[in-house]
Amino acid sequence: MTVPAATLEDANKVSTAPPSPPHDPSHEEHQYLNLIRTILAEGEHRPDRTGTGTRSIFAPPQLRFSLSKPGPTPSSDPIPVLPLLTTKRVFLRAVLGELLWFISGCTSSIPLSDAGIKIWDGNGSREFLERVGLGHREVGDLGPVYGFQWRHFGAQYVDAKTDYTGQGFDQLADVVRKLKETPFDRRIIMSAWNPAALKEMALPPCHMFAQFYVSYPAGSQKGSLSCLLYQRSCDMGLGVPFNIASYALLTHIIAHATDLNPGTLIHTMGDAHVYLDHIEALNEQLTREPTEFPELRIKRDDRGSGVVDGWKDEEFEVIGYKPHKSIKMKMSV
């Protein structure tokens, strides 16, 4: 049976849970589910910045997600895959909207909020900015967060309205250049962690460091791009499913821009934790069996162009995403 294609909007509208598939212990989503089981069983109780409380373990085994699967014939290009967790619905439109916002270098939460993506509203509120000593900022001005560090690392931050064109170091452009010109380089790295600027940020980066690696599998004429993500603080219920999808999409975008095949996303965690008010919801999620990860189609004809700016939501098509229904979890701010 052919699975119908779905736009990003369609992928988030469908709410009917699929029939439970047979248990497949090799499904990559079980890495995530088993880590949650470990945290619930063995994690220590720790207070946290938000006052909610967590169960936490430090430096669990890496999670590894394939970003492609073999094509129909040995000579076919691999088929891109998006590791979008299926045991609950992931808000894909928000994942992509936030990622493109990062890439743009924007530091105001207002454009996301206006688009119906409210994930940064709490950290950009007047109350929160006052609480963290940034009350002089306009509402929504988050400071030099992720996108600023990706595109303008080292530039002097003024406010969210300032034009930073040509200022600082453009790490993302440097990653693309190295992948195209020196793919064996061991310094293809992008960091959001800038200690000198942390005090200016509404929230220091949780996912903070990515290294890219090009391999050339035997018999392949084209390189395969993998990404190693280091995340210092990992909210297993709400954040990690989002982060997996986001860095998978980022790797797909960069692979397209550099004419490489998508390889593997490797997720390394520091403090991996479950918020105490997420335990009940996660126990429900743990009863569910994963379904197949969807395919990803990029609808652009500029493969290998090196262009990562100006991409749009409608240029991504997710095919065959059949998750279980959403599970409500509160975001701790």
Side-chain angles (χ1 to χ4, degrees):
M1 181 179 73
T2 301
V3 178
T7 64
L8 288 177
E9 197 68 35
D10 292 337
N12 286 294
K13 285 181 180 176
V14 180
S15 58
T16 303
S20 293
H23 177 63
D24 175 10
S26 68
H27 194 298
E28 292 174 345
E29 189 163 345
H30 283 299
Q31 300 171 94
Y32 167 81
L33 299 173
N34 288 335
L35 177 52
I36 289 174
R37 291 185 178 99
T38 298
I39 295 170
L40 293 179
E42 303 174 10
E44 67 175 67
H45 181 270
R46 294 169 69 88
D48 73 292
R49 169 187 57 83
T50 71
T52 305
T54 67
R55 296 193 68 83
S56 165
I57 63 175
F58 186 63
Q62 293 173 326
L63 308 185
R64 303 179 73 94
F65 297 97
S66 303
L67 300 181
S68 62
K69 61 185 179 182
T73 68
S75 60
S76 300
D77 285 339
I79 298 170
V81 169
L82 183 62
L84 196 61
L85 298 191
T86 64
T87 48
K88 71 168 184 179
R89 180 170 296 279
V90 178
F91 187 14
L92 180 56
R93 186 171 68 85
V95 175
L96 182 55
E98 183 195 50
L99 176 61
L100 297 181
W101 176 75
F102 290 156
I103 290 172
S104 76
C106 184
T107 61
S108 171
S109 64
I110 301 301
L112 285 179
S113 188
D114 288 347
I117 301 169
K118 308 292 186 178
I119 54 178
W120 281 93
D121 283 10
N123 298 112
S125 69
R126 171 57 57 211
E127 178 186 11
F128 186 86
L129 292 174
E130 293 280 359
R131 193 196 326 161
V132 298
L134 298 173
H136 59 285
R137 297 255 180 85
E138 291 188 4
V139 170
D141 188 337
L142 302 168
V145 291
Y146 298 97
F148 188 87
Q149 302 304 325
W150 286 11
R151 307 312 302 266
H152 307 288
F153 193 97
Q156 181 64 46
Y157 189 77
V158 179
D159 57 38
K161 294 181 177 178
T162 297
D163 183 359
Y164 297 97
T165 302
Q167 297 184 41
F169 186 78
D170 190 337
Q171 296 186 84
L172 181 56
D174 186 63
V175 163
V176 171
R177 180 187 61 78
K178 286 175 176 173
L179 289 171
K180 290 176 70 69
E181 298 177 3
T182 55
F184 296 108
D185 196 324
R186 294 190 291 265
R187 304 170 187 175
I188 309 178
I189 288 168
M190 187 165 68
S191 174
W193 191 261
N194 182 351
L198 294 180
K199 64 183 180 298
E200 301 179 72
M201 302 180 191
L203 185 69
C206 296
H207 45 97
M208 49 183 282
F209 191 89
Q211 182 173 358
F212 297 91
Y213 181 94
V214 182
S215 61
Y216 290 87
S220 175
Q221 300 300 310
K222 186 180 290 187
S224 176
L225 178 66
S226 293
C227 173
L228 172 65
L229 165 65
Y230 177 75
Q231 186 167 348
R232 65 167 181 90
S233 177
C234 311
D235 168 6
M236 297 300 300
L238 279 179
V240 167
F242 215 86
N243 305 135
I244 292 167
S246 181
Y247 276 81
L249 281 166
L250 175 64
T251 307
H252 278 294
I253 289 171
I254 295 174
H256 178 93
T258 55
D259 195 21
L260 295 166
N261 290 324
T264 303
L265 174 66
I266 304 98
H267 195 170
T268 301
M269 302 185 193
D271 184 325
H273 52 269
V274 166
Y275 282 104
L276 298 182
D277 59 0
H278 291 174
I279 291 177
E280 183 178 352
L282 287 170
N283 277 325
E284 178 185 349
Q285 188 173 348
L286 291 175
T287 67
R288 300 175 176 182
E289 190 66 29
T291 62
E292 187 175 1
F293 285 149
E295 297 176 10
L296 176 69
R297 182 176 301 154
I298 293 176
K299 299 186 289 185
R300 291 173 65 102
D301 58 6
D302 63 343
R303 187 172 185 84
S305 67
V307 174
V308 292
D309 291 298
W311 286 43
K312 302 182 185 307
D313 288 13
E314 57 267 25
E315 293 171 330
F316 299 84
E317 186 176 34
V318 173
I319 304 166
Y321 184 43
K322 295 184 176 181
H324 293 262
K325 64 181 181 180
S326 300
I327 301 177
K328 295 288 187 183
M329 298 184 200
K330 180 183 175 183
M331 181 176 176
S332 293
V333 178

